[in-house]
Amino acid sequence: TMSLREHALSLFRGAVGTVRPAPMLKRAVKLQRDGCPQLLVKGQAFPLKRDLYLVGFGKAVLGMAAAAEEILGEHLTRGIINVPLGIQESLRQAGMQEMLLKPHSKIQVIEGAKNNLPDAEALKGAVAIQELVEGLTADDLLLVLISGRGGSALLPAPIPPILLEEKEKLTKMLASRGAAIQELNIVRKTLSVLKGGGLAQLAHPARVVSLILSDVIGDPLDIIASGPTAASSHSVQDCLQILTKYNLLHNLPKSVETVLSSSPTKPTGPENYSHVSNIILGSNTLALEEAKHQAEGLGYAVLVLSAAIHGEVGRVATLYCQLIQLVCLGFTGLGEGPLSDQLRGNLLQLAAELQIPGLDLEEFLQALRGLGPDRPVCILAGGETTVQLQGTGKGGRNQELALRVGLGLHRAQAKGASSPQGRCEILFFSGGTDGQDGPTEAAGAFCSPALVAEALREGLDVEAFLRNNDSYTFFSQFQGGHHLLVTGLTGTNVMDIQAILIRAT
């Protein structure tokens, strides 16, 4: 029989495979050449009357563009993509030729945004994209490729006369005064030419078809890469309120004052976006669907908890530990009783505090009740947790989450002799779909209460590793890093995927 680790690895590979740029694009986009040529995207038809242009920005856009050019062939007139600095070299070294454009491609690649910060190179790319889209006519079709990760930093063009340095300085001042990322994005968007629907407005009257790889919980079109082709849900008024809140309204650069006073106060209405189609090609939800399909094929009873898990890693670990204990109680025929009632109560309270969008935990727990020991159980989830850094160790949010779940389960087991986990084999794993978890070569890690017990027998202080945010070093010490999930760069990103695998022993 396959080990739970092998099962988990196969689920993760399947999930990531389904949102890799090339297969994802080739499934969704077709070119119909006979008669009147048209572009078919997920069943929607867009006639090619005159010229077809392509622009794109973000980390996964290089692979998307390579696949798009293969599909479009001679119909593509010209393209420009703005991608993170050094990405072509990284993909070349990783042997991922299929993610690179062919020689003599019609698509120009501009690299910028070193360390995901808007810089002169990113500005150069943004301006080139702006110039291309401004010249389009009603008979042209513009294909826009958007990859959430890094997409925003690659579109920094400010509204003249604002200079990039001035916009950045203002953003830094807001950040230093404690502004939230959402607030920073609203201000950046308001002062940018292409963000917040700007790109779509400039491309008018051309037909605009946006293909989007989402890395944001809930896939909100106006938030992914700062929504260049979606109607913004914010106005200049919102921007002014934020500047007032942080006491910056009275020491703004002259250029920013000029732009804010001359901008329309109401956001552009949705009716002005009738020439735009925004289509989400890849998301965490799609990746989880594929993982579910794989797990069912391996004989698991599968439940998807949520694609919107977020919150501090310690709290999320507690949620998972209690879910696992509840499943194990069910396996041992103790699914009803004071212990399971207590766990259910704790879970409902935790879920309420974490405020996970769209999660109906009552309904989920009801579905869980029906699962018995005759089939192994797989619970899947996705999203993005956060870690409060305190130590100087090496790790990432996925490795830390896995270690915290393993430790929490071990503690629960040690506490009660009647612990239901005794008759269950349990594996928890968490991995980043981009193949990178923090500053390590791992994408995440696999952990079990058995691994933590082994570490403690060997005299390792698991809590000390966690206090030092040193989960990578912890996992590296066992079986040559066998518990680390190492996939290499994947060329995609739809946040993280977590799985709980449980079978009766």
Side-chain angles (χ1 to χ4, degrees):
T1 59
M2 280 169 79
S3 70
L4 292 185
R5 182 187 176 279
E6 287 167 315
H7 284 174
L9 193 55
S10 115
L11 302 188
F12 185 75
R13 290 213 166 114
V16 171
T18 202
V19 290
R20 276 186 186 254
M24 184 180 73
L25 232 91
K26 287 174 183 167
R27 269 198 317 272
V29 182
K30 307 268 182 282
L31 186 70
Q32 198 178 311
R33 296 165 195 275
D34 46 308
C36 215
Q38 47 184 4
L39 192 65
L40 301 173
V41 185
K42 283 193 164 179
Q44 294 184 56
F46 303 98
L48 298 178
K49 297 179 194 157
R50 211 182 92 175
D51 290 335
L52 172 59
Y53 294 92
L54 178 151
V55 297
F57 24 85
K59 194 170 174 177
V61 152
L62 199 58
M64 289 168 83
E69 186 161 34
E70 212 174 296
I71 296 164
L72 304 171
E74 74 286 359
H75 283 278
L76 179 64
T77 307
R78 181 174 161 232
I80 300 176
I81 57 171
N82 211 7
V83 296
L85 189 69
I87 194 158
Q88 294 178 95
E89 192 43 44
S90 304
L91 290 169
R92 213 169 275 128
Q93 285 178 354
M96 296 170 77
Q97 267 12 71
E98 75 282 3
M99 295 271 194
L100 297 167
L101 294 167
K102 304 272 184 286
H104 317 299
S105 165
K106 290 180 185 169
I107 301 170
Q108 178 191 357
V109 181
I110 298 172
E111 292 193 358
K114 188 180 179 182
N115 301 329
N116 202 21
L117 295 168
D119 54 21
E121 290 308 305
L123 179 60
K124 191 177 105 182
V127 169
I129 287 172
Q130 181 185 340
E131 286 170 354
L132 184 145
V133 304
E134 278 175 331
L136 302 182
T137 72
D139 287 336
D140 293 324
L141 180 67
L142 177 68
L143 197 57
V144 184
L145 306 176
I146 300 177
S147 143
R149 189 56 48 132
S152 189
L154 290 161
L155 285 185
I159 299 171
I162 302 174
L163 301 173
L164 185 59
E165 300 76 72
E166 293 176 318
K167 187 173 109 180
E168 283 318 290
K169 194 173 158 199
L170 180 59
T171 313
K172 282 195 183 117
M173 278 163 75
L174 277 166
S176 69
R177 294 185 182 198
I181 182 72
Q182 290 83 349
E183 295 176 310
L184 296 178
N185 283 338
I186 290 170
V187 173
R188 278 194 196 120
K189 245 199 281 200
T190 311
L191 305 177
S192 297
V193 177
L194 299 170
K195 296 177 186 181
L199 177 69
Q201 294 302 321
L202 288 173
H204 187 271
R207 188 86 186 98
V208 178
V209 180
S210 245
L211 307 180
I212 302 166
L213 181 64
S214 168
D215 69 326
V216 183
I217 283 176
D219 311 330
L221 292 172
D222 66 320
I223 305 288
I224 303 165
S226 299
T229 57
S232 174
S233 48
H234 305 290
S235 66
V236 170
Q237 234 39 58
D238 298 316
C239 179
L240 292 168
Q241 265 170 348
I242 292 164
L243 295 170
T244 307
K245 175 178 167 184
Y246 294 102
N247 229 345
L248 285 171
L249 205 53
H250 299 299
N251 46 3
L252 292 176
K254 198 96 200 89
S255 58
V256 175
E257 279 183 14
T258 308
V259 166
L260 288 175
S261 59
S262 61
S263 298
T265 49
K266 279 223 293 288
T268 322
E271 67 281 356
N272 296 359
Y273 288 83
S274 56
H275 63 300
V276 183
S277 299
N278 286 306
I279 300 162
I280 296 213
L281 286 196
S283 66
N284 192 274
T285 305
L286 284 165
L288 288 177
E289 274 171 26
E290 181 56 33
K292 178 174 191 266
H293 179 68
Q294 300 267 341
E296 285 169 345
L298 291 166
Y300 284 85
V302 190
L303 289 174
V304 176
L305 179 65
S306 164
I309 298 290
H310 65 103
E312 200 276 314
V313 65
R315 325 262 327 211
V316 175
T318 306
L319 181 83
Y320 285 140
C321 284
Q322 298 188 339
L323 264 179
I324 292 166
Q325 288 171 57
L326 201 53
V327 175
C328 291
L329 278 174
F331 267 27
T332 46
L334 300 169
E336 303 305 324
L339 188 53
S340 57
D341 289 345
Q342 186 193 338
L343 282 170
R344 278 194 195 94
N346 292 350
L347 278 165
L348 289 167
Q349 170 149 16
L350 245 180
E353 287 168 22
L354 285 167
Q355 294 185 329
I356 293 160
L359 171 61
D360 184 345
L361 194 64
E362 288 270 14
E363 190 186 315
F364 183 83
L365 294 177
Q366 198 51 50
L368 212 50
R369 273 191 159 111
L371 304 179
D374 45 336
R375 280 174 76 195
V377 169
C378 169
I379 296 173
L380 294 166
E384 210 160 79
T385 56
T386 45
V387 174
Q388 299 289 325
L389 285 178
Q390 294 160 323
T392 53
K394 202 172 173 191
R397 59 178 184 255
N398 289 288
Q399 294 162 72
E400 180 148 334
L401 178 60
L403 185 52
R404 282 181 183 278
V405 170
L407 180 62
L409 290 171
H410 177 268
R411 278 190 187 143
Q413 214 161 342
K415 257 210 298 235
S418 63
S419 167
Q421 287 164 225
R423 287 189 241 167
C424 290
E425 186 190 356
I426 301 163
L427 182 77
F428 175 86
F429 100 92
S430 186
T433 53
D434 59 355
Q436 291 175 298
D437 186 37
T440 73
E441 87 274 12
F446 308 90
C447 198
S448 63
L451 178 69
V452 173
E454 184 188 331
L456 294 169
R457 279 196 302 276
E458 289 182 18
L460 292 177
D461 183 345
V462 181
E463 285 178 52
F465 281 100
L466 283 169
R467 275 197 301 278
N468 194 29
N469 300 114
D470 203 14
S471 49
Y472 175 79
T473 307
F474 173 85
F475 286 116
S476 303
Q477 311 208 359
F478 296 91
Q479 298 161 314
H482 179 71
H483 297 276
L484 288 166
L485 170 68
V486 181
T487 60
L489 278 182
T490 63
T492 190
N493 189 345
V494 294
M495 302 184 288
D496 304 334
I497 286 176
Q498 282 116 33
I500 295 165
L501 303 182
I502 303 173
R503 62 183 173 197
T505 47

